[in-house]
Amino acid sequence: NAGVTQTPKFQVLKTGQSMTLQCAQDMNHEYMSWYRQDPGMGLRLIHYSVGAGITDQGEVPNGYNVSRSTTEDFPLRLLSAAPSQTSVYFCASSYGLGRETQYFGPGTRLLVL
Amino acid sequence: SQKIEQNSEALNIQEGKTATLTCNYTNYSPAYLQWYRQDPGRGPVFLLLIRENEKEKRKERLKVTFDTTLKQSLFHITASQPADSATYLCALGENAGNMLTFGGGTRLMVKP
């Protein structure tokens, strides 16, 4: 049971480039989410999904796209990277919304030049 | 505006002492609050959940209190150890249908 996995661990992009951050979980969780973590800002919710085929925006969705074609995978796409997207990105999953424990992946550190 | 505040300054304590971390919130009516531990370069790990109708929750050396009048949660680690050194995040949710909102975290350093 690998839990929540994320790839890559680290990525450097140039402004304007696009890329996809991968997230997968093997716990059969319905709920998955993406956060970004910046110094002093805590974790901010980007997008989340309550099941395959269903996604919704969080607090800071601009510049990011998501899709959920399977229960296991929840990729995050940066359409045109900007320096303001330099951050550490965490994927999380849980059995349910809200009260349920969230299981986090190890994170992807992204640097946009 | 809504705000969740944790002390951004690191808390330094001596091994064996009790560490107390604070989570204050404004303009929220949380139904529950969670505490997570985060080590450098790792994702957060769940520690405890406390609901609005619970005053206190314990798990081994950990204790969480929740005061909805003061709009505050306190997180205690008794008999602290250097291995407890980490950043601790509080997160709250206003109802079962909402995603969590996280505070900025407090770094705890336990010195031997």
Side-chain angles (χ1 to χ4, degrees), chain A:
Chain A
N1 191 333
V4 180
T5 58
Q6 291 183 238
T7 56
K9 282 188 169 56
F10 180 70
Q11 182 74 44
V12 179
L13 289 179
K14 293 181 180 177
T15 296
Q17 287 185 315
S18 62
M19 79 160 292
T20 299
L21 280 63
Q22 301 292 345
C23 173
Q25 52 92 9
D26 61 359
M27 297 174 281
N28 203 31
H29 287 167
E30 287 295 321
Y31 298 89
M32 297 186 73
S33 51
W34 276 102
Y35 293 87
R36 59 178 289 173
Q37 188 173 39
D38 303 293
M41 300 283 290
L43 289 158
R44 291 184 292 167
L45 183 65
I46 304 171
H47 286 284
Y48 65 98
S49 168
V50 300
I54 307 169
T55 63
D56 206 347
Q57 295 181 351
E59 181 186 355
V60 288
N62 292 341
Y64 307 95
N65 270 1
V66 292
S67 60
R68 184 100 178 268
S69 56
T70 67
T71 299
E72 294 78 20
D73 300 298
F74 190 42
L76 178 73
R77 281 183 288 277
L78 279 70
L79 309 172
S80 177
S84 61
Q85 293 179 304
T86 293
S87 187
V88 181
Y89 291 85
F90 289 100
C91 177
S93 72
S94 63
Y95 285 111
L97 274 178
R99 297 175 188 270
E100 302 294 332
T101 301
Q102 293 210 54
Y103 296 83
F104 284 84
T108 294
R109 187 174 296 272
L110 177 67
L111 175 62
V112 182
L113 302 175

Side-chain angles (χ1 to χ4, degrees), chain B residues 11-25:
Chain B
L11 176 64
N12 294 292
I13 66 167
Q14 206 66 33
E15 182 176 9
K17 301 292 186 185
T18 296
T20 299
L21 285 71
T22 304
C23 177
N24 295 304
Y25 58 90

Side-chain angles (χ1 to χ4, degrees), chain B residues 61-74:
Chain B
R61 294 185 295 113
L62 309 180
K63 184 178 85 171
V64 172
T65 62
F66 194 9
D67 189 325
T68 55
T69 301
L70 291 179
K71 298 185 184 300
Q72 180 182 80
S73 174
L74 299 179

